[in-house]
Amino acid sequence: HAAQPINVVCAAPYYSSYPTMTDYLKSGLYKWGGDAETYEKDGPYIELVTSPNNPDGHVRTSKVNRSEGLLIHDLAYYWPQYTPMTSPADNDLSLFTLSKITGHAGTRIGWALVKDKEVAKKMTKFIELNSIGVSKDSQLRAAKILSAVSDSCEQENSQEGDSFFKFSQKLMTNRWKQLREVVNRGELFSLPQFSPAFCNFFNQVLEPQPAFVWLKCEGNVEDCESFLREHKILTRSGRHFGVSPKYVRISMLDTDENFSHFIDRLSSI
Amino acid sequence: HAAQPINVVCAAPYYSSYPTMTDYLKSGLYKWGGDAETYEKDGPYIELVTSPNNPDGHVRTSKVNRSEGLLIHDLAYYWPQYTPMTSPADNDLSLFTLSKITGHAGTRIGWALVKDKEVAKKMTKFIELNSIGVSKDSQLRAAKILSAVSDSCEQENSQEGDSFFKFSQKLMTNRWKQLREVVNRGELFSLPQFSPAFCNFFNQVLEPQPAFVWLKCEGNVEDCESFLREHKILTRSGRHFGVSPKYVRISMLDTDENFSHFIDRLSSI
């Protein structure tokens, strides 16, 4: 009989598009297999390891950990402004995107580091069949942006000022400080706790400061998204990420003005 | 039991990527059903109607013509420099691309005119799941290019000179004239014959002058692609388009210099 589609799993809470992106074409090659924490089937599987994780910001390793697993590391958020660079990204297959390093999500540019040449060839063939190629306009823009980021790192400590990553890291530190102050003032909400680690990029011990807040409503509030909407704060419910609606995801990457409104509204609850 | 994937058919010769693009993910929603001319199954099907056709340049209508057919008109080449504009493109679903109107294939920008609002919504959802969105850089560039094309049409007959379409139409006329002269000089090759028709854009009777030549090797040559490769002319064999290797497809849209080499080499055979 025909080969069965391989199960694709990821530990909850997971990026809300993984299940639909996996299943929408009803492929005979792969299908969504659910939460990696409770996955117990035999045979080959694909595990998505998002590290730091979207939505909760935690550093992750694979959860299923059996011999026939193929790991795809989604390193969209593995950049020094968000998390300490603790080790080289020398996985079998790592995915990256311009979207989170600099915010240029509109280019739709990503890239992959792949150890197995045959797998890399199949990925290239996939792009050809999916869209013939990737926008040349976006590729040119992405190359220019990455050059500017790279130049800013080489010119660090000259009169040019902070590198792109140092600038962004300071900004994230400031925003997380404001957020923790507001949340810790009351008992309505809680935030994830992160362990500091040595960052090989900045050469110092630093605490993670993720691109998203994974906020939990403590006490009686069961639907955190609805509760916050009443206070004019738009969030994405934990439901979409395979967990309880007591959690919501909120972006930490909005404009200074919008971030300021968010902090004001949260502190007035 | 589960719904069967719908058959996707197209009359041969067809665009060589249709079969692989339809089948590469082994979707449970659709599968390649082969040549529309010989398709005889009952029930719903999707027919791709490419008009003018890639590779042979002929104007097409649907071939299967049964009640449960859904038609997708691929109008990539339905522009006045290639073919007379004989009727409005008021099909249920028409696809267009910047690739052939101006040659900006690298933007990967296309668009669709869709009558059924629910179908259009599903197509939008598909884009969201496939790539979250389309490159903003490409969208901006495409808007600029289409504005320039539109402006050139409005300024026609002013001192600005020919519109974009008139310029392109003259260029194609010149190239097809050169090609027909060379081919008609000998008996080795033959070209498709096209009927002139009234073009509502140029307000005159014009002959089609497609973006591709669909060249046939007459006489004993069975593999036209190999034969022409010996004479340093690179082509794409009819095999890829579901028909005999006596046919090859050759682009008419290369640079002036390359087109000139092509004509020189063809005339020296």
Side-chain angles (χ1 to χ4, degrees), chain B residues 84 89 141 188-189 225 231 233 240 260:
Chain B
R141 185 142 190 240
L188 268 174
F189 305 107
E225 183 186 25
H231 295 87
I233 298 173
H240 299 293
S260 175

Side-chain angles (χ1 to χ4, degrees), chain A residues 19-265:
Chain A
T20 36
M21 284 177 129
T22 307
D23 281 342
Y24 78 118
L25 292 179
K26 298 190 195 303
S27 173
L29 301 175
Y30 48 79
K31 69 174 206 286
W32 181 244
D35 188 351
E37 293 278 15
T38 55
Y39 184 74
E40 290 185 333
K41 294 207 180 83
D42 287 327
Y45 62 92
I46 291 172
E47 182 176 353
L48 301 167
V49 181
T50 312
S51 183
N53 190 42
N54 171 3
D56 65 15
H58 285 294
V59 169
R60 282 188 161 185
T61 53
S62 70
K63 303 288 169 102
V64 183
N65 232 334
R66 280 204 303 271
S67 60
E68 294 181 83
L70 302 162
L71 302 185
I72 297 178
H73 280 78
D74 184 340
L75 301 188
Y77 301 93
Y78 190 58
W79 296 105
Q81 67 268 47
Y82 303 128
T83 198
M85 301 284 97
T86 54
S87 57
D90 60 350
N91 312 294
D92 284 346
L93 201 168
S94 298
L95 303 178
F96 299 87
T97 164
L98 200 64
S99 171
K100 307 306 173 185
I101 173 177
T102 65
H104 292 84
T107 60
R108 310 312 307 135
I109 290 283
W111 62 97
L113 293 181
V114 183
K115 280 190 182 161
D116 186 326
K117 201 172 169 180
E118 293 309 310
V119 173
K121 276 187 194 165
K122 283 190 184 182
M123 292 171 74
T124 305
K125 188 70 188 172
F126 171 84
I127 292 171
E128 185 192 320
L129 291 169
N130 188 53
S131 59
I132 302 189
V134 175
S135 162
K136 290 285 186 288
D137 309 82
S138 283
Q139 289 186 57
L140 287 169
R141 186 143 190 239
K144 194 81 186 172
I145 291 164
L146 291 174
S147 286
V149 169
S150 174
D151 287 352
S152 82
C153 295
E154 286 174 9
Q155 289 159 6
E156 178 121 62
N157 299 324
S158 75
Q159 59 189 14
E160 301 289 332
D162 288 340
S163 74
F164 169 80
F165 291 116
K166 189 69 202 171
F167 171 87
S168 308
Q169 197 264 345
K170 283 181 180 172
L171 193 93
M172 295 304 291
T173 303
N174 179 267
R175 288 189 173 187
W176 272 93
K177 188 163 166 280
Q178 291 181 61
L179 179 70
R180 288 205 183 273
E181 278 172 12
V182 169
V183 169
N184 292 339
R185 218 178 286 156
E187 307 213 315
L188 267 174
F189 305 107
S190 68
L191 292 171
Q193 295 301 318
F194 302 107
S195 306
F198 186 80
C199 175
N200 289 299
F201 184 82
F202 287 126
N203 278 315
Q204 63 184 113
V205 173
L206 289 167
E207 199 168 308
Q209 35 200 32
F212 292 112
V213 195
W214 186 235
L215 194 73
K216 186 182 180 187
C217 272
E218 299 291 345
N220 294 328
V221 177
E222 289 305 315
D223 183 345
C224 192
E225 183 186 25
S226 301
F227 177 72
L228 286 170
R229 199 188 300 116
E230 288 166 23
H231 294 87
K232 295 173 73 181
I233 298 173
L234 297 180
T235 67
R236 195 157 169 81
S237 170
R239 282 186 297 108
H240 299 293
F241 304 93
V243 298
S244 154
K246 287 183 84 79
Y247 290 89
V248 293
R249 190 190 74 172
I250 307 169
S251 174
M252 288 293 276
L253 306 182
D254 213 321
T255 59
D256 284 338
E257 192 184 349
N258 284 344
F259 183 76
S260 174
H261 287 317
F262 163 51
I263 292 294
D264 289 347
R265 288 173 192 177

Side-chain angles (χ1 to χ4, degrees), chain A residues 24-29, chain B residues 4-6 22-31:
Chain A
Y24 78 118
L25 292 179
K26 298 190 195 303
S27 173
L29 301 175
Chain B
Q4 290 296 305
I6 193 168
T22 307
D23 281 342
Y24 78 118
L25 292 179
K26 298 190 195 303
S27 174
L29 301 174
Y30 47 79
K31 69 174 206 287

